[in-house]
Amino acid sequence: MSSPAERFVAARRRAEQSFPALEDFALDLGFDLDDFQREACEALERGSGVLVCAPTGAGKTVVGEFAVHLTLRAEGVKRKVFYTTPIKALSNQKYHDLVQRYGPDAVGLLTGDNAINGDAPVVVMTTEVLRNMLYAGSSTLDGLAYVVMDEVHYLADRFRGAVWEEVIIHLPASVTLVSLSATVSNAEEFADWLVTVRGETAVVVSEHRPVPLWQHMLVGRRMFDLFHDADAARKHDVHPELLRYSRETLRRLELTDGYPPRGRGGRRWRPPLRADIVERLDREGLLPAILFIFSRAGCDAAVQQCLHAGLRLTTPEERAEIRRVVETRMMAIPGEDLSVLGYWEWLDGLERGLAAHHAGLLPAFKEVVEELFVRGLVKAVFATETLALGINMPARCVVLERLVKFNGEAHVDLTPGEYTQLTGRAGRRGIDVEGHAVVVWAPEVDPRHVAGLASTRTYPLRSSFRPSYNMAANLVGTVGTDRARELLESSFAQFQADRSVVGLARQVQRNVETVEAYGNEVRCHHGDFDEYFALRVAIADRERALARQGSSQRRAEAVRALERLRVGDVIRVPSGRRAGLAVVLDPGNAGFGEPKPLVLTQDRWAGRVTSADFSGPAEVLARVRVPKNFNPRSPAARRDLAAEVTATGLDRHAGRRNRSRGNGEDHELALLRIQLRQHPCHACEEREEHARWAERRHRLQRDTEQLREKVAGRTGSLARTFDNVCDLLASRGYLTAAGEVTDAGRMLARIWTEADLLVAECLRRGVWDGLAPAELAAAVSVVLYEARRDGDERASVPRGALSDAVDATQKLWAELEVDEAARGLDLTREPDLGFVWPILRWARGEDLAKVLASGHNLEGEMPAGDFVRWARQVVDLLGQVAEAASATPRLREAARAAMGAVNRGVLAYNAVG
């Protein structure tokens, strides 16, 4: 009988014989492969596609790198592998990693900003680049053997997710797909779909974190373990000492009038100072750390607070190295721009080991922060959630300051998936023995809720796929209308919809059976109770209709009252967060639609109100003088004017409410009530008991009908949307009646933006013809730019040709919106004028300080990172315009000149170089 050592050697020899490429690959890794990595790599070497789902930091990318190894190892045949990522920063990072391993001749990079060695056997690219190649039938695809889709769970992204499904559907059958995903709970469902569209696909799921993660809560100055041990974590049992202490803290706050705040006299709860948190982590050996703050301004403020507290986390040698790295990387950026960007304050923070990281930061600054953090020179980074979805920046500890974030529309709780994604950054493989996640306690945070977030393992992947105009033009031009419809029906979105229909149909059947059972309880010996209940339903419907009619009338009265307001009028906002007296700064009735007056309230808030803020007409209570050049961004000006409003004394008197009185009961409603009282079932002694069962049956019938509509709506839903898209394109001349692509359709197929059809219409109608290069850059910005939130000021446009072009663009959008609404589509967002002035001034050669100031709103000037991001998108769209406007040489030349005018200074900085 052989010994264990002999059996191990024999097994190893069999593995080498079965998977020689994997063993060759593993020799150069410098570490042993985990079981899930080996399983996925073996599936690849067998010739199967693979879906790998594993936690952040588990080492999924090793599987993608093995696909690179298989490609380069092939002898006698020229093969290629594309490594795709969702964002340029990840592409840049992966490019550097692969160049370091395989050399610059073997690796290329293709993103919107860079094109390096695109014919190499290994090319890293953003997913959009590959999608565009597939539609264009690029020769670069020749010899393609593998496509690695890193972060494939991005297909759930509501804005860009469709790109992933387009690529998966359209890749040639000969290409093996390597899909790398964060942990999702419906991996098998996703894999089942991959099998239907890509063939054999192995599913490898690992929930094991290579570095254990410990969960904590910081309550005041005390740090507690969230769970007592691993068994408690499995049961979601919060550490009893943490529960006791947090409850006592909350009770003390309530007793001392500290929470919730009661007027201005009460002491409010104050969380631990950020500098104190960082010092605490430093003392306990938990740095480097990422502290997530869901606010750009909050991240910047946190760095300043730590600097003012005198915090220093670096040695003299580290500070010298930091300065050397920064000066080397910043050489390409003009000095006058650096001073505008707060370079010296930023460098001071870096030298002390502190930095912010968010989308508003200049990309070059972010890249330096990332490099210094990875090298251990920056110890604490205050970041927004975008870092969790971006490049590889692991830490020893992650701190969550709040469990609520603003999603662009409202403040919402973090989901378990988001919590896991954020805390997954903690624990560096090969460096840390364990990782740590810390949640900062606040009175509204229940430790049991945190335990639920930390313990939940349900993160379903949901498709966000929908047909677009560009997609339709490309699909019809490539495979024809019928085949295009079939391809759409093979999407993951339709796959999920069809699966859900099965469950809905079962629910409909169960509901029908229950409705029949309820019918037995409704029978009445006095008469037809269904007939009697129908009268009750009709009465309730009529009452609701009358109430809606009254509400609509009150809204119309509120709108008319707002239209009559003038600057200086003092009104009362009746309810909501801004309730109280307010003075009108700008009537806001110069544009289309309802007026939105700009007002200043007694508590010095300046912003716009709408008819929705008023339950009735806004009554002018008094008038005060508003200075001619009043600046609502000036705290002193707001303070002085708010004091004048308060001095009117109106706040001591309650506003009068006008109550409109009806002229008697509605005639139809009166007749229904007479019929109800005369019905024989009205005299039944069990009338209300019958009515309760009838109400249950009525609700269930209504729900069942809605389920039936869902079933009908989901079956073939994407194909119907596609048909509506094609119908609209045919009505506008992009497709023929026979479903063939016209010259205009071929032009549309080359435009890659959310406003694709609007851009195509502007080109066809000559809206942008004759504009100077800087004006053209400003004009195209309105179809791209989207403010982070509703602004408080109306964006203006310079008079002349640019103003005419913007007006024509808005008119085209209004026509398009009508056509879309008629077909049940909602694909084109309204143009936004908020970036016109910044990009115009930049393209004219003005300095960065003036440009950023021209993009201001009531919250301050435009962040440099936002400006660079939007300006680069303008450059990208100008490139598309130059290519699409082949029949208009003057416009094409203007677009190219505009690209050169915009692509200067901070925009010309090349991250890869």
Side-chain angles (χ1 to χ4, degrees), residues 297-361:
C299 292
D300 294 332
V303 174
Q304 292 303 313
Q305 289 162 15
C306 291
L307 294 179
H308 292 156
L311 201 59
R312 190 183 296 279
L313 306 171
T314 52
T315 65
E317 293 76 17
E318 288 174 328
R319 288 195 287 278
E321 178 63 9
I322 288 168
R323 182 173 283 267
R324 187 194 66 77
V325 170
V326 172
E327 290 177 348
T328 302
R329 296 291 295 272
M330 295 297 111
M331 285 176 63
I333 299 179
E336 61 272 19
D337 288 351
L338 288 176
S339 60
V340 172
L341 297 166
Y343 169 79
W344 296 108
E345 297 87 346
W346 173 69
L347 178 58
D348 183 30
L350 292 178
E351 289 185 330
R352 298 199 199 185
L354 301 159
H357 189 289
H358 54 72
L361 206 62

Side-chain angles (χ1 to χ4, degrees), residues 423-752:
T423 57
R425 290 280 176 183
R428 298 165 298 174
R429 186 168 189 173
I431 301 174
D432 298 320
V433 178
E434 57 193 23
H436 298 266
V438 179
V439 174
V440 179
W441 182 85
E444 66 274 11
V445 176
D446 187 337
R448 288 168 296 187
H449 173 62
V450 181
L453 288 174
S455 306
T456 300
R457 291 291 176 265
T458 304
Y459 325 118
L461 187 62
R462 294 283 174 246
S463 171
S464 60
F465 184 82
R466 64 175 184 174
S468 68
Y469 298 115
N470 169 279
M471 184 196 301
N474 274 295
L475 279 176
V476 173
T478 306
V479 299
T481 305
D482 293 339
R483 175 68 180 138
R485 190 182 292 106
E486 290 174 9
L487 285 171
L488 289 171
E489 288 179 335
S490 69
S491 67
F492 186 45
Q494 193 60 58
F495 185 83
Q496 287 191 309
D498 291 343
R499 283 204 165 187
S500 67
V501 162
V502 176
L504 291 174
R506 288 200 193 103
Q507 186 61 48
V508 166
Q509 184 56 39
R510 285 195 293 268
N511 286 3
V512 168
E513 294 169 359
T514 307
V515 164
E516 291 174 358
Y518 285 172
N520 296 328
E521 305 295 334
V522 172
R523 291 195 182 94
C524 177
H525 62 282
H526 285 273
D528 187 344
F529 200 86
D530 287 340
E531 185 180 81
Y532 174 75
F533 186 74
L535 288 170
R536 292 175 70 138
V537 170
I539 289 170
D541 289 345
R542 183 60 184 167
E543 288 173 340
R544 278 193 295 270
L546 291 172
R548 281 196 300 270
Q549 184 179 330
S551 174
S552 177
Q553 183 178 347
R554 287 192 297 273
R555 182 179 176 86
E557 291 172 351
V559 170
R560 286 194 292 271
L562 292 182
E563 289 172 341
R564 293 192 292 269
L565 293 179
R566 295 179 298 160
V567 175
D569 285 345
V570 178
I571 60 175
R572 185 183 302 280
V573 181
S575 60
R577 291 174 57 207
R578 306 303 176 189
L581 296 179
V583 58
V584 177
L585 305 178
D586 169 22
N589 53 16
F592 298 103
E594 291 186 5
K596 295 180 179 179
L598 178 64
V599 302
L600 175 71
T601 64
Q602 277 180 287
D603 60 2
R604 306 178 193 176
W605 175 82
R608 295 198 179 273
V609 293
T610 69
S611 60
D613 295 306
F614 297 87
S615 54
E619 182 183 357
V620 178
L621 305 174
R623 284 187 59 76
V624 298
R625 180 181 170 279
V626 177
K628 187 173 182 181
N629 296 317
F630 181 79
N631 181 6
R633 291 185 298 281
S634 167
R638 293 202 303 267
R639 180 194 63 218
D640 294 344
L641 187 56
E644 283 193 49
V645 174
T646 302
T648 61
L650 293 168
D651 56 334
R652 292 191 292 270
H653 306 286
R656 297 179 180 178
R657 294 184 177 179
N658 296 322
R659 299 181 184 273
S660 58
R661 296 183 180 181
N663 297 320
E665 188 176 36
D666 176 72
H667 180 64
E668 181 181 339
L669 187 59
L671 285 177
L672 286 169
R673 284 181 171 150
I674 291 171
Q675 292 175 33
L676 184 78
R677 287 192 293 270
Q678 291 178 347
H679 195 282
C681 289
H682 193 68
C684 177
E685 61 278 5
E686 297 181 354
R687 180 188 67 199
E688 293 309 309
E689 179 66 15
H690 292 324
R692 277 192 289 274
W693 284 106
E695 175 63 29
R696 291 172 191 164
R697 186 175 65 166
H698 176 69
R699 282 201 303 268
L700 194 56
Q701 285 173 327
R702 185 182 59 210
D703 293 345
T704 304
E705 192 55 40
Q706 289 174 350
L707 286 175
R708 286 194 175 106
E709 289 174 3
K710 278 187 179 180
V711 170
R714 292 185 183 182
T715 305
S717 55
L718 283 176
R720 279 197 300 277
T721 302
F722 175 72
D723 289 341
N724 289 334
V725 166
C726 290
D727 180 59
L728 192 152
L729 291 178
S731 73
R732 288 178 170 260
Y734 293 89
L735 299 176
T736 66
E740 296 177 348
V741 180
T742 64
D743 288 342
R746 281 184 279 276
M747 185 243 319
L748 171 62
R750 295 197 295 272
I751 298 169
W752 309 96

